[in-house]
Amino acid sequence: MKKNLLTALVLACAAFSTASFAADAPAAAGSAPMAAAGSCDAKAADKKLAGAAKASFVKKCEKDSGGAAKASCDSKAADKKLAGAAKNSFTKKCLSDAAMG
């Protein structure tokens, strides 16, 4: 009887720890490129979107926000009168910094 009770207790603990880990996984995976995705996901949640509609909305939202960042970085590069490789390098770093937060 004790063996069955112990087995049930171990299985219950394993189930609860797995559920807890799964709930924490999206927060832990919030890397820099996902910063925009977080706000787009929040907007999708506000609109109560799910499934394919949510995926489509988030994809478009991320694309739109990335375009705004690129325009801003291109504008900053023009203000600094950068061209060629210097402009490309500056823009790449600027976009990376924008994605970080």
Side-chain angles (χ1 to χ4, degrees), residues 41-58:
D41 281 335
K43 289 177 186 177
D46 289 344
K47 294 178 179 256
K48 296 180 174 46
L49 297 176
K54 179 182 176 186
S56 176
F57 176 83
V58 170

Side-chain angles (χ1 to χ4, degrees), residues 55-98:
S56 176
F57 176 83
V58 170
K59 183 177 178 180
K60 183 180 183 318
C61 176
E62 289 172 355
K63 181 181 175 187
D64 292 346
S65 66
K70 176 134 174 62
S72 173
C73 291
D74 284 343
S75 173
K76 289 177 185 177
D79 291 345
K80 293 180 181 240
K81 297 181 169 110
L82 297 175
K87 179 182 177 189
N88 291 341
S89 176
F90 175 83
T91 303
K92 182 177 179 181
K93 183 177 183 327
C94 179
L95 289 173
S96 173
D97 291 347

Side-chain angles (χ1 to χ4, degrees), residues 20-47:
S20 174
F21 177 74
D24 291 342
S31 61
M34 298 299 290
S39 63
C40 291
D41 281 335
K43 289 177 186 177
D46 289 344
K47 294 178 179 256

